[in-house]
Every structure is written in structure tokens, then in C-alpha cells.
Amino acid sequence: MDEKLTSRRARGPKIGASGGGHGLSTLLRGLKRHTRNLTAIVTVADDGGGSGVLRTDLGMPPPGDIRHCMEALANTEPVMGQLLAYRFPAGSGSLTGQSFGNLILAALNGITGSFEEAVSEMSHVLAISGRILPVTSADVKLEATFENGTAILGESKIADFKKAQDCRIRSVRLIPDRPTPTAAAIEAIREAGLILLGPGSLYTSVIPNLLVDGVTEAICQSDALRVYIGNIMTQDGETEGMTLSDHVSALLDHSAPNLVDLCLANCSPVADDVLERYREEGADPILVDRKKTEALGVEVVERPMLSTGTQYARHSSDRLSQVVMELYEERAETKVF
């Protein structure tokens, strides 16, 4: 049975999944059960937390989102997974709050002299299912401009600044503008039979990859089935009050009108006690305004994908990956929408 499963995964579709943060790692954790031909294309715009410290001190790209993906795709002993996720507690001096997995990547970055090579070497050590690629090796920063004309530089500063301005984000951009992509990331997009964007923070995880030179163009030119996976909830300090069509509109405004074929949205109800906790921070379930979204040229597909038994309204890795694979089986060959 194990041999059959291994064979099935080896024959699985080539998937390019783009984004960052916990959303991308949730998706990857489920997809690795369906295919080994999986490539995660990960944003490197983060400048907060332990990643921000290493970025400032060592001049390396932020490793945090990469590490989350490695935790999701690793095929090692449980203790290794615990080591990757371990954070040094308060009172650990300069290591307080730092992730051990980030430190491993920082060491490999120093040994190899290349962040892309460091990620590759660590992927071999962890025997990950598929590949993990930084979208660019450039030292990029994310700037957000708001509807009132103000702007803030730095991904980690956007949420608090937005709350202070009390208005929506109008656009984001990378500095330097349109940085050079890693060649492997563009190749992975071109070879994929299924391209996935999200789930994840709209302005700080999903859109930044599309601002790297050539990424939007490669996605638009692809014959693959292209799917945007919408979030379940709005995000405090980023997308409060935004509907599904608002999310899709922002995505297209930062890329191109024909970027995606489908938008996958959750239709599972969120428990009242979970909703109450989110509403305390101004977050709500994203309203699926199908007509407005489809008027943008993107078909909406609703499926139950909520993780149950937790205090958070997040996607279930198993349900999300199963729905994605079903959509691929139904639509990839014909691309009829």
C-alpha cells in the first residue's frame, strides 16, 4: 500500500504554490500527501520578529516564511520538526524569541554564500516533499500606500500604521521596484500544471510575489489551471471590511486582469465563540459576493474547508488540499469555467 501511495505521489501534478506565512504552510502540509511534484515560491519581504533581526544583523533575506514551509514539507523524525519550530524563551539574551530553524538557515547562508543555495541544502537535510524557492534573492522591502495618501515602509509596520490611519490600503510596492526573480521560481511557474496563490495575508504575503519582475507575466502566460485561494476571515490591520471581490480586485490591480481562472472560497460556518474572538479585533468572515467577483472575470467556487476543533478560523490542510486536487481533476484538462 505504501509503494502504491509513493508511486501515486510521484505521478502527481506539478504544482506551483505562491505566497508566504502560515497560509502557505497549511496548504503545503496537505498537498504533500497528493504529489511530490510540489514547488513553494515564497515571499522574502518580511522584516519583523526573528527574521527581521537576522536580516538586519547578517544582511540575509528573511528566513521565517521559508522555515514555515520547510516545517510543512519535512519528512524527518518528530524531534527535528520540534527543533525547527523551537523559539528561545524570554530570558535567553540576544536569542530571545529567535527560532532555531531560522538560525540553521542563517548558518547555511554563511556556509554556502547564497540564500537560495542555503534553502536547497536545508531542503536536502530535511528530505522535504518537493522544493522551496525564495521568489527573489534581492534585499527587498515592502511599502504600503493608503487611501489618504500616507505611506509606510516595512512589512512589519503596516498593520499598526493602518490602524492609526483608519483607512484602507490602496497599494503596495517593493523597493527596489520589480526585483530580479530567482530563475528556478520562474521555471517552476512555467512548468506547473496547477498554480495556486494563497491563502495568506493579501498585501504582505500573496501580492508581494506578483511584484517581482516576470512573475505575473509567467503566471498569465501559463496554460495551467490558476487558482486564488481566498482567506476565511478578514485580517486585523490589513483587510478589515473587505469582501471577496475586494480581495480579488486588489490582486488583479497589482498584477493583470487574467491572472487567475478561479477563486476558491470557504462556505463552512464559523462557530459563534470563534467569531466573537475575531470580532474583538475587528475581523469577520469574508463576504463572498459572487456576482461582483465574477464580474471581474474570475469564477467563484465555494467548498467547506474550515478546520474544526480549534480556536481559530483557518483552513483545514486535509480539506483544502482535497478540494484543490478535485478542482484540478475536474478542470485542468479542459479549463472550462
Side-chain angles (χ1 to χ4, degrees):
M1 182 66 177
D2 288 345
E3 290 184 3
K4 289 183 179 179
L5 183 59
T6 299
S7 177
R8 179 173 64 81
R9 288 174 178 169
R11 298 193 308 271
K14 290 184 178 180
I15 299 177
S18 174
H22 292 286
L24 180 58
S25 59
T26 296
L27 174 65
L28 298 175
R29 191 170 281 109
L31 286 177
K32 76 174 184 179
R33 301 186 181 98
H34 297 274
T35 181
R36 293 191 63 86
N37 302 310
L38 179 59
T39 302
I41 302 165
V42 189
T43 180
V44 289
D46 183 19
D47 65 351
S51 287
V53 171
L54 292 175
R55 178 174 184 169
T56 300
D57 290 350
L58 301 180
M60 63 178 288
D65 285 345
I66 295 279
R67 189 197 78 250
H68 284 307
C69 293
M70 287 184 167
E71 292 172 10
L73 294 179
N75 294 290
T76 56
E77 296 299 321
V79 68
M80 179 56 78
Q82 293 173 344
L83 279 173
L84 285 178
Y86 178 77
R87 285 192 180 276
F88 291 89
S92 300
S94 61
L95 290 177
T96 295
Q98 187 59 264
S99 161
F100 184 70
N102 285 356
L103 296 179
I104 296 175
L105 275 168
L108 282 170
N109 184 69
I111 291 170
T112 63
S114 159
F115 186 63
E116 189 176 356
E117 186 62 27
V119 173
S120 177
E121 289 298 322
M122 191 163 171
S123 297
H124 291 313
V125 170
L126 298 175
I128 70 164
S129 298
R131 293 186 299 168
I132 299 172
L133 304 172
V135 68
T136 179
S137 295
D139 180 17
V140 296
K141 292 180 173 60
L142 188 67
E143 181 184 73
T145 300
F146 296 80
E147 290 182 339
N148 63 4
T150 60
I152 186 69
L153 179 64
E155 184 269 344
S156 62
K157 300 175 183 177
I158 291 174
D160 287 342
F161 191 85
K162 181 184 182 300
K163 293 177 186 177
Q165 299 303 306
D166 194 27
C167 67
R168 290 188 179 186
I169 297 171
R170 185 172 67 200
S171 63
V172 292
R173 68 179 184 126
L174 292 178
I175 298 176
D177 185 49
R178 294 183 65 82
T180 301
T182 55
I186 296 298
E187 181 184 12
I189 293 170
R190 289 173 175 164
E191 291 182 349
L194 174 62
I195 296 172
L196 304 172
L197 307 178
S201 302
L202 177 66
Y203 289 106
T204 55
S205 289
V206 180
I207 288 176
N209 278 359
L210 301 174
L211 305 177
V212 174
D213 191 38
V215 170
T216 288
E217 291 80 0
I219 294 173
C220 290
Q221 292 167 7
S222 172
D223 292 329
L225 177 64
R226 299 163 297 170
V227 181
Y228 168 56
I229 303 170
N231 295 330
I232 294 174
M233 306 291 293
T234 59
Q235 184 173 345
D236 179 39
E238 191 157 334
T239 58
E240 300 101 319
M242 291 179 64
T243 65
L244 186 65
S245 68
D246 291 331
H247 282 70
V248 172
S249 181
L251 189 74
L252 302 183
D253 286 345
H254 285 83
S255 54
N258 62 331
L259 182 75
V260 293
D261 305 303
L262 301 174
C263 176
L264 181 57
N266 171 66
C267 63
S268 301
V270 180
D272 290 340
D273 61 326
V274 176
L275 283 178
E276 188 60 33
R277 281 192 292 273
Y278 275 93
R279 283 172 179 155
E280 290 176 1
E281 61 182 37
D284 295 285
I286 292 176
L287 174 66
V288 180
D289 47 350
R290 177 183 293 272
K291 288 186 178 180
K292 286 187 177 181
T293 304
E294 295 190 338
L296 297 170
V298 178
E299 181 184 346
V300 176
V301 176
E302 293 184 75
R303 295 287 188 275
M305 298 178 291
L306 183 68
S307 179
T308 58
T310 72
Q311 297 181 353
Y312 302 98
R314 293 175 178 169
H315 289 91
S316 159
S317 290
D318 290 339
R319 293 180 183 179
L320 174 57
S321 60
Q322 186 62 44
V323 169
V324 165
M325 296 307 297
E326 288 172 358
L327 279 176
Y328 175 79
E329 294 294 334
E330 294 169 4
R331 307 290 192 98
E333 291 299 321
T334 61
K335 287 193 70 172
V336 173
F337 309 104

